[in-house]
Amino acid sequence: MTSPWSEGQVASVAPDAGSLAAAAKLSGAWSQTGGNGDALWGLCQGSGKSPYRSVVDLTGPAYHCSCPSRKFPCKHALGLLLIWSQGRVPEQSEPPEFANDWLSRRAGRATAVRTPTAPVTTASGAKSAERRAERVAAGLDELDLWLTDQIRGGLGAADISASAFDAIAARMVDAQAPGIASTLRRLPIVVATRADWPDRLLREYARLHLLVVAHRRLSELPEPLQASVRSHVGYPVATDSVRGEPGVRDRWMVLGMQTTEEKRLFTRKVWLLGRDHGRRAILLDFAHGSAHFSTVIPPLGSLVDATLHFYPGAAPLRAQFGDTHETPEPFTTVAPSDMDTALDDFAAAVGADPWIRSWPALLTGVTPAYDDGSWFVADGQGRALPLSGEDPVLWRLLGMSGGSPVTVFGEWTSDSLVPVSVFDRGDVYPLVSGTPSTAGSRR
Amino acid sequence: MSELLSAALLGTARSTPSFEGLATGELARSVGGDPAETLLGAAALENAYRDGGVAASTRVLPAPAENDPRLQLPSASAAHLMQLLAAKSWTLTEWFAVVAERGYRAPDHLVADLMAVARTNDTHRESILRLAGPRGQWLAAQNPDWSMLVRRSDRTDVWTHGAHQERLLWLTTMRAVNPAIAMAELRRTWDSERGEHRAAFIAVLGTGLGDADSDLLEHALDDRRKEVRQQAVQLLRQLPNSAYAERMAARARVWVRVEKKPLRTRLVVNMPGSLDDSARRDGIEDVHFKNKGIRSWWLRMVVTAAPLSVWEGMIGSAAGALEIRIEDQWREVMMEAWTNATVLQRNPRWASALLHREGRKTERRVVPIVPARERLAYILSGHADSYLLGVDGAALFEGLPHPWPLDLAERVITRLEDVAGRHAETGKDLGQFSRHSHYSTLRSAETHFPFTAAPLLRAAAERTRDPGWQQAFATVAANIDHRRTVLKELE
């Protein structure tokens, strides 16, 4: 049988701390528990007559339970994992009937998925790409007309209702420019929440107009910038083609990690910094329905010797893992990095790709502070940059430092630093979820 | 940039954008197209230029948090802490006690989250704040949402300048944390407080009440407001060392005396015909129960408020007092008043004399005042069996050594197993309330059972045939194991 997870590993799949606590309380309610190879099962007595049937497929991991909970995994599946981690699930050769059904159905589905699909022929591929480019071009012309109309009539008099932005965004979805559609969909929030919304709106309109102009003259642009324009518009990039890009090998440090959810779409963002060559990278993963991502990434605070393949672009940042050469191990130091480096990096990135909104920034030996209603980080010389982000994140950062210098990692967004994680005495702590990294503190 | 923005707000149909004052003004002129397109192009250019050209400003850092020399919580415990808090675990009280005893501080990365929990968690607020220590206080002082969590005694500005509700909250909290400071602040401003505020403040003094409070309470006996006077009397009755108690003792000695004749020692009561002003000032009321005998009402008030030591001096001992002969007319009043005085003055000698005399009929409020060792012996002797599991039983357990000795746990489990057996035999509930109240007895005992009780509970689960009880015993056994795990982590 797969060797039991640690309690920390079980905690890492829990949807929230409450579920985990509820799961621990079930400890005495189990019967007919068993495990076999990569699966666990058991009956859990709840308040009703018949017990809940809970099954876990550890390879996914995937969970199945007869309870009506909408949490995923539910407290029963978590409870099963917990007693397993305590060595209280006996090994059995055959799963009982209540588990077998689901497990065999899963096995069947997995085989089906692995069946290779016929590759798209190059000729029809090229043809559809051409058709897409035409649709996008037509859509962007329409967008530009809309943008210039807004400016001609004046932002003060324009329709800035959510439905107005929604209509033009929907048109961009039809025109197969999803990157632009999502930019437009964010605008009503800007209008509703920011006092300086006219300034913000003008910025966004200018950015979109520049994108339209660049798209019109796509063929005149250098290759990397063409790729940037395509990705901001929202052309898809085939994963396989990224793997074809030349690899960049380094000892990559995992500096930050964040999972966000929007309409059941979970996005995991992982920030990396090459220890030897100083290059920055972002790994993006998506999952529907629950935060279970198909790719496995090393934990926060660890370092992995690996080859990365970058998505093409004028300021390449997004990447995919290629070959991993060593098993990950924790790192406890980072090279000093100051405000000038962060600002210069951003300037260089914006110079190469003017549509970039943010760039990873590492600041060593800075002190976060809240003074007179504003947040900032200052270095030993009193030079300061503004901080922004959600309140709990900023208070966590302040509590971490207690007014003494720490190392902050975050995203510089042209006017403020949005903190993501903080380093102190060799450990890395995420600021977005509040749970400490296990990589550094396990030793 | 403001020139571009005002043109954009007004619309290029009515205004012409000016590129003066733009860093990229020269280049902007070369952007082609109609005025709207030129404006958007110039804005894009200027944005990129400005985004790339941001420079650091200069700021002065506020003072850092005080250093906390305590040891940091072990990492496994730190990881469990937020879970225990989220689940409002029963173990937390015990957990925090061990943490306080060992002198741990919270790891820095949890301090902000702990303060957020402390804001809503009334039960463990002070324990959380102690764990978060000076860093938590430093943080709370900066966040307006956490001002109620500031516990530094030098922060009396809330008291001197706050609104009434804030001042009341400050006094209430400070009374629990440092009663002397709260009293000192209250005494300073007492005479200038408004009447209704004095009534509200004096009500708070029940928390942390001690001999040091008697001066202000004595002063409050002359207050213009009746609520203030009444509240002062309520509190003074709990302070047997005060001047007030001494005056009550003097009255008791005048009204009640021991008559010693051979073989006929008895208590003789001799009540006055009227009250003087000083008695009225001390809260002995002239108006109550007129039809039932105003004099027995006076006697009850004086005996309740007089120090119990008066009777010990007069008669010899608490047990002796409870046995002495009293005229029939006064007997009931004396016994009731002594019982009340025992509760108010929390006198363990009298409580234990009452328990031994009254047994199962002992007033519930008296039981927890009996010294824990005596109560334990009483339970183990089997005398308490009949109400050990009832709602009243809780008073027996209050303040017993933690964890309970194994033989006490064993006795409770045996009694519960009897109940489980009856449930299994009848095949039905003995009324939903009964089962529920027994489960809750088991659950509240859970936090006090020694770790060695887990095998007993598992054995009880094996033996019982009632599925509900089977699960109840097994769950409590598992919870004790969990409790052992989280407490072991603190070592």
Side-chain angles (χ1 to χ4, degrees):
Chain A
M1 191 154 83
T2 313
S3 67
W5 293 1
S6 69
E7 208 175 312
Q9 261 173 297
V10 179
S12 72
V13 300
D16 50 59
S19 299
L20 194 61
K25 282 194 173 170
L26 296 174
S27 163
W30 291 96
S31 58
Q32 295 187 39
T33 54
N36 144 1
D38 293 324
L40 300 172
W41 53 82
L43 298 180
C44 187
Q45 185 64 50
S47 49
K49 266 218 173 74
S50 52
Y52 294 122
R53 302 176 298 274
S54 208
V55 196
V56 177
D57 177 351
L58 296 162
T59 54
Y63 314 92
H64 176 73
C65 187
S66 60
C67 78
S69 169
R70 303 182 126 252
K71 294 231 171 122
F72 200 79
C74 66
K75 63 178 178 179
H76 305 104
L78 281 174
L80 188 56
L81 285 169
L82 277 179
I83 60 169
W84 177 52
S85 78
Q86 294 156 2
R88 286 171 50 200
V89 172
E91 194 161 346
Q92 276 166 14
S93 52
E94 278 301 311
E97 208 172 317
F98 74 83
N100 202 20
D101 262 13
W102 181 71
L103 287 169
S104 53
R105 252 186 295 137
R106 263 190 71 74
R109 205 180 310 152
T111 334
V113 168
R114 279 189 212 109
T115 317
T117 48
V120 186
T121 59
T122 336
S124 79
K127 208 166 203 175
S128 77
E130 202 177 300
R131 267 205 306 278
R132 180 178 186 122
E134 280 166 18
R135 288 180 76 165
V136 172
L140 291 196
D141 282 342
E142 212 174 308
L143 172 71
D144 206 32
L145 218 55
W146 182 83
L147 289 169
T148 47
D149 271 355
Q150 306 285 304
I151 297 299
R152 218 168 277 128
L155 293 180
D159 180 1
I160 50 165
S161 64
S163 58
F165 290 117
D166 235 30
I168 183 74
R171 181 65 199 92
M172 289 304 108
V173 172
D174 291 344
Q176 294 189 305
I180 290 175
S182 73
T183 296
L184 290 164
R185 288 228 162 89
R186 274 195 291 270
L187 295 181
I189 300 166
V190 172
V191 170
T193 58
R194 295 194 60 133
D196 62 343
W197 67 265
D199 183 53
R200 291 277 139 184
L201 220 48
L202 179 58
R203 274 183 84 102
E204 291 297 333
Y205 287 180
R207 180 179 179 274
L208 288 172
H209 172 74
L210 189 64
L211 198 52
V212 174
V213 172
H215 190 263
R216 267 184 211 138
R217 290 155 55 180
L218 202 56
S219 58
E220 297 167 41
L221 303 179
E223 280 275 349
L225 194 55
Q226 285 190 22
S228 289
V229 171
R230 279 203 202 91
S231 92
H232 291 298
V233 168
Y235 283 87
V237 182
T239 314
D240 294 347
S241 76
V242 176
R243 294 252 163 71
E245 295 287 316
V248 180
R249 181 170 173 179
D250 203 329
R251 291 184 298 152
W252 298 97
M253 298 183 284
V254 184
L255 292 188
M257 202 178 286
Q258 181 174 11
T259 303
T260 52
E261 191 236 310
E262 199 176 345
K263 291 181 185 154
R264 310 280 289 155
L265 175 66
F266 290 81
T267 306
R268 182 182 62 193
K269 217 169 177 183
V270 178
W271 287 268
L272 304 173
L273 174 63
R275 192 169 183 86
D276 300 324
H277 307 296
R279 203 157 159 188
R280 285 136 172 78
I282 283 183
L283 310 174
L284 281 181
D285 279 295
F286 303 96
H288 279 281
S290 70
H292 287 98
F293 300 96
S294 51
T295 53
V296 177
I297 43 133
L300 185 66
S302 62
L303 172 147
V304 58
D305 182 355
T307 302
L308 287 193
H309 301 281
F310 282 83
Y311 283 68
L317 188 62
R318 189 177 170 194
Q320 278 181 13
F321 259 124
D323 295 332
T324 305
H325 307 285
E326 297 281 344
T327 46
E329 55 181 65
F331 68 90
T332 53
T333 57
V334 286
S337 172
D338 62 10
M339 294 181 183
D340 288 335
T341 315
L343 295 172
D344 288 351
D345 282 351
F346 185 69
V350 170
D353 175 348
W355 297 281
I356 281 209
R357 294 174 187 276
S358 63
W359 197 254
L362 178 69
L363 299 175
T364 54
V366 289
T367 308
Y370 178 70
D371 190 26
D372 207 12
S374 71
W375 290 93
F376 62 93
V377 278
D379 65 14
Q381 285 83 53
R383 297 184 342 128
L385 291 176
L387 284 174
S388 65
E390 294 185 2
D391 266 359
V393 169
L394 296 170
W395 286 109
R396 244 171 236 146
L397 175 62
L398 200 60
M400 243 336 274
S401 100
S404 302
V406 286
T407 293
V408 180
F409 174 76
E411 286 193 307
W412 176 253
T413 61
S414 86
D415 57 6
S416 62
L417 181 75
V418 183
V420 170
S421 45
V422 58
F423 294 49
D424 193 34
R425 278 160 277 188
D427 284 334
V428 187
Y429 300 91
L431 291 165
V432 278
S433 70
T435 48
S437 114
T438 48
S441 47
R442 198 178 292 148
R443 289 154 304 124
Chain B
M1 200 64 187
S2 60
E3 293 88 345
L4 283 184
L5 186 59
S6 51
L9 275 168
L10 215 55
T12 50
R14 273 174 289 172
S15 69
T16 316
S18 146
F19 302 133
E20 299 297 324
L22 292 186
T24 53
E26 286 299 317
L27 270 172
R29 266 179 258 282
S30 65
V31 176
D34 71 10
E37 286 172 298
T38 315
L39 190 150
L40 285 171
L45 203 56
E46 183 75 2
N47 282 339
Y49 179 84
R50 297 211 167 183
D51 288 353
V54 172
S57 62
T58 311
R59 296 289 298 253
V60 177
L61 285 168
E66 252 171 72
N67 187 41
D68 191 340
R70 294 176 297 170
L71 279 175
Q72 185 178 310
L73 207 57
S75 61
S77 300
H80 274 137
L81 172 56
M82 299 315 285
Q83 284 172 30
L84 292 172
L85 284 169
K88 298 193 161 61
S89 164
W90 291 76
T91 307
L92 275 167
T93 308
E94 188 181 17
W95 191 92
F96 274 121
V98 177
V99 162
E101 185 194 323
R102 291 180 178 259
Y104 284 124
R105 69 175 164 84
D108 298 339
H109 70 271
L110 288 184
V111 170
D113 287 19
L114 284 172
M115 298 305 279
V117 175
R119 216 183 137 202
T120 52
N121 189 322
D122 296 337
T123 318
H124 300 295
R125 181 173 301 134
E126 300 307 324
S127 300
I128 296 171
L129 293 182
R130 207 169 308 128
L131 183 64
R135 179 161 300 202
Q137 290 299 300
W138 177 84
L139 214 53
Q142 300 186 62
N143 188 340
D145 288 347
W146 294 344
S147 63
M148 64 169 295
L149 302 178
V150 174
R151 294 289 179 273
R152 283 161 47 194
S153 51
D154 53 334
R155 291 252 318 173
T156 51
D157 51 336
V158 179
W159 178 249
T160 47
H161 293 95
H164 175 64
Q165 282 307 321
E166 288 173 337
R167 301 180 70 213
L168 191 58
L169 184 64
W170 183 90
L171 190 71
T172 309
T173 316
M174 194 46 84
R175 201 55 198 171
V177 181
N178 193 333
I181 287 179
M183 176 42 78
E185 290 297 319
L186 182 61
R187 205 199 311 255
R188 223 155 44 80
T189 60
W190 179 260
D191 288 323
S192 55
E193 302 287 358
R194 288 165 51 179
E196 73 261 34
H197 291 178
R198 285 201 304 275
F201 291 146
I202 200 168
V204 166
L205 297 181
T207 308
L209 188 71
D211 288 340
D213 301 321
S214 56
D215 286 354
L216 183 82
L217 293 172
E218 182 75 38
H219 181 50
L221 289 178
D222 298 316
D223 205 276
R224 278 196 311 276
R225 259 183 191 257
K226 196 175 172 203
E227 305 102 280
V228 176
R229 295 198 302 271
Q230 280 176 336
Q231 189 67 45
V233 167
Q234 289 296 327
L235 295 174
L236 282 167
R237 295 199 305 179
Q238 300 174 40
L239 299 172
N241 300 319
S242 62
Y244 173 87
E246 193 39 59
R247 291 197 299 279
M248 287 303 201
R251 284 187 192 102
R253 288 193 195 98
V254 173
W255 294 356
V256 184
R257 65 186 171 84
V258 179
E259 188 184 76
K260 280 194 178 134
K261 286 184 181 166
L263 303 172
R264 271 198 62 186
T265 300
R266 59 172 196 155
L267 218 53
V268 178
V269 176
N270 211 335
M271 297 300 292
S274 64
L275 287 182
D276 57 12
D277 282 349
S278 84
R280 282 191 206 95
R281 176 180 182 265
D282 283 342
I284 303 173
E285 287 166 50
D286 228 347
V287 286
H288 208 71
F289 290 145
K290 265 203 166 120
N291 49 353
K292 269 188 84 181
I294 187 77
R295 283 173 191 79
S296 56
W297 177 242
W298 295 346
L299 181 64
R300 181 200 301 262
M301 300 232 270
V302 167
V303 175
T304 299
L308 285 159
S309 56
V310 166
W311 314 107
E312 285 164 321
M314 204 182 280
I315 303 164
S317 69
L322 297 176
E323 294 302 332
I324 199 166
R325 286 190 52 191
I326 307 174
E327 292 171 85
D328 284 350
Q329 183 194 353
W330 306 109
R331 172 151 194 90
E332 199 186 327
V333 177
M334 287 300 292
M335 291 301 286
E336 274 179 26
W338 277 335
T339 305
N340 281 336
T342 302
V343 173
L344 283 168
Q345 297 170 29
R346 302 194 61 79
N347 188 313
R349 284 191 310 277
W350 282 74
S352 101
L354 279 167
L355 180 67
H356 283 110
R357 187 170 190 278
E358 310 277 313
R360 223 173 292 159
K361 286 185 302 212
T362 311
E363 159 97 50
R364 284 287 70 81
R365 296 174 302 153
V366 170
V367 178
I369 304 171
V370 177
R373 205 157 18 91
E374 280 183 42
R375 252 186 295 146
L376 192 57
Y378 184 71
I379 295 169
L380 293 179
S381 72
H383 284 102
D385 273 9
S386 55
Y387 67 99
L388 198 56
L389 303 182
V391 183
D392 286 350
L396 275 169
F397 298 127
E398 206 174 285
L400 287 188
H402 174 94
W404 287 351
L406 185 61
D407 44 4
L408 173 60
E410 210 171 344
R411 184 147 212 116
V412 172
I413 295 167
T414 310
R415 303 290 308 161
L416 285 166
E417 233 188 303
D418 290 348
V419 175
R422 263 179 288 142
H423 277 148
E425 263 165 40
T426 57
K428 61 180 181 200
D429 277 357
L430 315 165
Q432 196 52 244
F433 175 74
S434 141
R435 183 180 283 251
H436 177 80
S437 73
H438 285 123
Y439 283 169
S440 86
T441 303
L442 176 60
R443 252 201 316 278
S444 46
E446 169 189 321
T447 50
H448 295 294
F449 280 155
F451 300 144
T452 44
L456 299 181
L457 286 155
R458 267 192 272 277
E462 299 256 317
R463 279 192 297 265
T464 185
R465 283 170 298 119
D466 180 89
W469 274 103
Q470 227 169 49
Q471 203 195 330
F473 284 131
T475 303
V476 171
N479 288 350
I480 290 174
D481 290 341
H482 183 247
R483 195 177 110 217
R484 179 173 52 195
T485 312
V486 296
L487 291 171
K488 264 223 145 74
E489 286 167 351
L490 289 171
E491 284 167 12

